[in-house]
Amino acid sequence: MECGPPRINDKLMRFFDHCEKFLTEVEKNATALYHVEAFKTGPEMQNILKKVAATLQVPVNNLNADLIQVAFFTCSFDLAIKGVKSPWCDVFDIDDAKVLEYLNDLKQYWKRGYGYTINSRSSCTLFQDIFQHLDKAIEQKQRSQPISSPVILQFGHAETLLPLLSLMGYFKDKEPLTAYNYKEQLHRKFRSGHIVPYASNLIFVLYHCKNAKTPKEEFRVQMLLNEKVLPLAHSQETASLYKDLKHHYKDILQNCHTSEECQLPKVNNTSDEL
């Protein structure tokens, strides 16, 4: 199959770069990641600082949370990419790794996930684009026309997938992740390293059921995250009638307009003269 040259559409795949509300209220807002900074100075991270300082035989004042993260990332990247155990791995134990994982999850939660509504709502255009392609395939099939685009591949980053999955209601915990509930969140759903690991991917598969009894049952959708079946958020089933899926996400498909979602609230600069 011949493919045409790739088309770059950053407004679609890097929607966060084009959303003024996200850029102002989250990306460039010094207080948006308050819980990340608070956790860095909290008891869990301070315990790691003291342990690492003792292991390295350096004054604890010479270390900070950012340096600890660099050492941990050096360890984890070598393991993940090269299969090599870095000497830096020896300064951490499994409990330290859980704390440092939580620190990274806090950042992803407040910057890309459920922390702020605009994080996910900024991805509406991409979500709607996916369903437009599915609608087109269904229309062509119903008209007995060849499917013009049997496979559509879009390439982005973890920063593309996390907001989209949050928009769809996946991996949402009952309580938000904060700097102060680490122990309560040990069994949390929102674990970014599991949701968007290296080469993470989200797949929508559209099925045409020839033996369907009714027109509604003719088309079904299955989703896969990182090549594993992802149960549907609204039913927890492994596949859904296409019309049921569209109905579940009716609000996003019909009422989520990026231009409105990403618009900053207007500031009233008028003042009454005394």
Side-chain angles (χ1 to χ4, degrees), residues 14-237:
R14 293 186 64 86
F15 44 81
F16 41 87
D17 283 342
H18 301 269
C19 183
E20 196 61 38
K21 188 174 183 179
F22 169 77
L23 293 173
T24 302
E25 296 184 357
V26 182
E27 180 74 33
K28 299 175 182 178
N29 183 354
T31 63
L33 299 184
Y34 162 81
H35 286 283
V36 178
E37 298 306 316
F39 191 72
K40 288 180 180 179
T41 58
E44 294 86 1
M45 283 300 297
Q46 291 306 304
N47 285 339
I48 296 178
L49 276 169
K50 293 172 185 176
K51 286 167 61 178
V52 173
T55 301
L56 298 178
Q57 298 182 354
V58 299
V60 69
N61 292 336
N62 286 8
L63 299 177
N64 57 46
D66 292 334
L67 288 173
I68 295 297
Q69 269 197 300
V70 170
F72 183 67
F73 285 147
T74 302
C75 161
S76 57
F77 287 170
D78 275 354
L79 276 174
I81 298 171
K82 301 177 183 176
V84 174
K85 184 183 177 183
S86 164
W88 286 109
C89 295
D90 293 332
V91 304
F92 302 109
D93 60 28
I94 189 66
D95 290 329
D96 300 334
K98 289 178 180 179
V99 171
L100 288 160
E101 179 195 21
Y102 189 71
L103 175 59
N104 188 57
D105 285 346
L106 275 174
K107 179 182 178 182
Q108 300 302 331
Y109 183 89
W110 289 97
K111 192 172 182 179
R112 305 294 176 186
Y114 291 104
Y116 300 101
T117 303
I118 191 58
N119 294 348
S120 60
R121 297 293 282 188
S122 62
S123 70
C124 285
T125 301
L126 176 58
F127 184 78
Q128 292 161 358
D129 181 76
I130 292 167
F131 277 81
Q132 286 167 10
H133 287 300
L134 294 171
D135 283 342
K136 184 178 179 181
I138 288 173
E139 184 182 340
Q140 290 174 334
K141 188 68 178 178
Q142 289 173 332
R143 292 181 177 182
S144 300
Q145 297 174 345
I147 308 300
S148 56
S149 300
V151 178
I152 295 163
L153 304 175
Q154 308 272 31
F155 295 90
H157 295 276
E159 292 82 0
T160 309
L161 272 185
L162 269 179
L164 186 64
L165 288 165
S166 299
L167 182 71
M168 296 170 68
Y170 284 102
F171 309 108
K172 185 174 185 178
D173 295 283
K174 291 181 179 179
E175 297 295 327
L177 276 62
T178 74
Y180 314 109
N181 61 357
Y182 166 70
K183 289 183 179 178
E184 291 82 357
Q185 295 286 13
L186 282 174
H187 302 290
R188 64 192 177 278
K189 297 176 183 177
F190 192 91
R191 297 182 68 187
S192 56
H194 291 248
I195 302 168
V196 284
Y198 292 126
S200 57
N201 54 83
L202 177 64
I203 304 170
F204 288 76
V205 184
L206 179 65
Y207 290 96
H208 177 241
C209 306
K210 295 180 180 178
N211 299 324
K213 296 179 181 178
T214 65
K216 180 183 177 181
E217 297 174 342
E218 194 175 354
F219 295 96
R220 291 178 180 267
V221 174
Q222 187 175 63
M223 293 172 57
L224 296 92
L225 180 64
N226 306 322
E227 295 104 58
K228 294 181 180 178
V229 172
L230 183 65
L232 281 304
H234 67 288
S235 66
Q236 292 304 302
E237 295 180 355

